[in-house]
Amino acid sequence: MDGAILDMRLDRAYRDVFDPQEAEFLARIQGDVQVLGPRQRLVRANVPLKQSFYLTRGFIGRTRVDRAGRRQFLALQIPGDYVDLPAFVLHSLDHDLYSISEIAVRPVQHTDLTALRDSEPELFQKLWRISMIDAAIHRYWIYRIGRLSGRTRIANFFCEMLVRLHSRGLGGLHAFPLPLTQTDVAEVCGITAVHANRLIAELRAEGTCAFGNGEVAVSDPLALFRAGQFTWDYLYLPAEKDAELRAALGLGRGRC
Amino acid sequence: MDGAILDMRLDRAYRDVFDPQEAEFLARIQGDVQVLGPRQRLVRANVPLKQSFYLTRGFIGRTRVDRAGRRQFLALQIPGDYVDLPAFVLHSLDHDLYSISEIAVRPVQHTDLTALRDSEPELFQKLWRISMIDAAIHRYWIYRIGRLSGRTRIANFFCEMLVRLHSRGLGGLHAFPLPLTQTDVAEVCGITAVHANRLIAELRAEGTCAFGNGEVAVSDPLALFRAGQFTWDYLYLPAEKDAELRAALGLGRGRC
DNA sequence: CGCGGCGTTGACTCAACTCAATATCGGTGG
DNA sequence: CCACCGATATTGAGTTGAGTCAACGCCGCG
């Protein structure tokens, strides 16, 4: 059953990026689905890798730990992400990958990617592009943590998840899944868990959004975007997705 | 004269990444050197781009500005960096590029990169790799800003610059060029300029490092690394460069 | 000479951290 | 069925790192 759902997702997620033939090509080099429980290490730093993954279900986090053992999330991957394309060109990673919820992944052998490089250069370049969008998200996280206040950071992060999930058809504008703990959110936003708890309570009290039970509820998405000072230019959504989102939010041509 | 120096740098910087033939290939598609004064915008966000740049001299910063006009540096590019490979696959950028010091760049037409994709797939993949090392640096910046204290952040940032410049032969272990103002450092580290000033003064007072006049002086590099809780695993130095650095620092096989 | 950019310092405020206790809840074993 | 546990969420009180506002010094440059 899993397989069927997941392939649908593949199609939907990238319909605008890959043409059907390319999607077929990619699906063919993906191995069988592997399921992993929550909070498991998927990839360990500094270990040579021979495969990358396509994430079909669940969330994966990239993390780095400081000397005192405090953890920072470096990125969050959602279903439909090609996790770990970096590993293909870098050979090993400098950080760990952990499942957050239960996940399902499909491995992609690096040798197959190399073959694809030579036979389908254009498709190969599209994979590069995907990895560069991840890099753009990294840069935005730097901005978020470096310049926004705690409250704004959290709201902003929720906005990113809303848009990314929505653009894959994995969440609505008024509610979307986010299987993280408050501690995880804190480690994404670079604040302490206690402080995150208070800020999340604030956001809930003022009706901006409610986070709990692995889900975010948003009564007024636009208000959330305002609270988070959010714009999604850095996500490089395909034009149609962008227009669709703007329309759904009741936005015109102007900036958010 | 510029030309001669710059080509030498090209050779030195990537001797271990590109073989002579590849370096020749890359040099051939680079256009003539263009010089730009300090504090100029090189690339503006959201404008379609037809070329990327190879940076031969000076520093370039990627920046994003918040609603209140406060700026955050997202990345810093040093001589020998291929700036803006992201632009090749993303077509336009979500942030601005500014020269910091006076810079010299050599443009690379995207059409030439596309041609290279089809004729030299292996070399093409190496360019991808370079862009993924930049992404690894992004991730480390997230960690730095998210988890380290102000003081540690600044020391850590100096460490990164030391290692990156040293590995290109552009700086020593006890002194290296860093043509930034204190305000720039603050905007890299996600703190205010006033606070950065105090922390830099602290680091100077305790003899960890002295920053001024576009240069960082370091009496004891290892002490600086300790103060910054720095490791350079994320820079993916070629094995020889890594060994060379460890030897110069008097480190054995173990971790920093 | 005066201006502007940069660095420095002081005094005050506040956001965020720390430490600690308590609450909630699903699961588990007796 | 209930006691207990671990993980997560919540709250309080006190501390501190970092921000804010403002003034001043330095210096290169027109």
Side-chain angles (χ1 to χ4, degrees), chain B residues 76-96:
Chain B
L76 221 55
Q77 312 285 170
I78 66 171
D81 278 347
Y82 267 92
V83 176
D84 241 0
L85 286 177
F88 168 56
V89 285
L90 293 176
H91 309 310
S92 72
L93 289 184
D94 56 314
H95 58 273
D96 294 319

Side-chain angles (χ1 to χ4, degrees), chain A residues 2-235:
Chain A
D2 256 356
I5 293 184
L6 303 171
D7 277 338
M8 277 175 52
R9 274 188 188 156
L10 170 66
D11 291 344
R12 228 185 303 149
Y14 290 112
R15 190 184 295 154
D16 28 54
V17 178
F18 301 122
D19 65 40
Q21 195 188 348
E22 289 174 331
E24 175 58 31
F25 211 108
L26 289 172
R28 204 178 315 140
I29 62 174
Q30 291 173 4
D32 289 339
V33 171
Q34 296 175 3
V35 175
L36 192 64
R39 311 278 154 183
Q40 301 297 311
R41 185 164 57 195
L42 182 68
V43 174
R44 184 211 294 247
N46 302 314
V47 169
L49 300 167
K50 291 192 155 28
Q51 56 183 17
S52 295
F53 298 101
Y54 175 74
L55 178 60
T56 57
R57 182 163 45 85
F59 285 54
I60 290 177
R62 301 176 182 273
T63 61
R64 186 180 269 265
V65 173
D66 78 0
R67 198 177 287 175
R70 293 181 317 170
R71 191 171 65 160
Q72 172 71 41
F73 275 90
L74 308 174
L76 221 54
Q77 312 286 170
I78 66 171
D81 278 348
Y82 268 93
V83 177
D84 239 0
L85 286 177
F88 168 55
V89 285
L90 293 177
H91 309 308
S92 73
L93 290 184
D94 56 315
H95 58 273
D96 293 321
L97 287 187
Y98 277 91
S99 63
I100 293 174
S101 48
E102 182 182 280
I103 61 169
V105 295
R106 299 186 63 184
V108 179
Q109 299 304 317
H110 290 168
T111 49
D112 289 330
L113 289 174
T114 304
L116 184 147
R117 175 192 74 191
D118 299 329
S119 66
E120 305 278 332
E122 212 168 314
L123 178 52
F124 189 71
Q125 185 174 328
K126 286 183 181 175
L127 293 180
W128 183 358
R129 179 183 161 87
I130 288 175
S131 76
M132 290 321 284
I133 294 176
D134 279 344
I137 295 175
H138 293 337
R139 286 190 293 266
Y140 194 79
W141 284 38
I142 294 171
Y143 161 74
R144 173 188 299 141
I145 300 180
R147 274 295 161 261
L148 303 184
S149 72
R151 237 173 85 98
T152 314
R153 260 182 244 181
I154 292 178
N156 185 288
F157 167 61
F158 287 161
C159 292
E160 175 180 314
M161 287 296 114
L162 186 158
V163 172
R164 284 173 64 187
L165 289 165
H166 184 265
S167 78
R168 295 262 168 87
L170 298 172
L173 294 176
H174 294 278
F176 58 91
L178 193 69
L180 305 182
T181 65
Q182 289 191 354
T183 303
D184 292 329
V185 173
E187 288 171 348
V188 162
C189 293
I191 57 184
T192 58
V194 172
H195 196 47
N197 174 275
R198 288 188 232 269
L199 298 174
I200 289 170
E202 258 182 63
L203 291 171
R204 180 166 42 227
E206 60 186 42
T208 307
C209 63
F211 168 61
N213 293 316
E215 190 177 284
V216 179
V218 187
S219 58
D220 179 358
L222 228 53
L224 178 62
F225 282 34
R226 237 177 288 118
Q229 302 192 11
F230 186 71
T231 54
W232 60 81
D233 52 323
Y234 69 100
L235 292 175

Side-chain angles (χ1 to χ4, degrees), chain B residues 181-182 194 197-198 204:
Chain B
T181 65
Q182 289 192 351
V194 172
N197 174 276
R198 288 188 233 268
R204 180 165 42 227

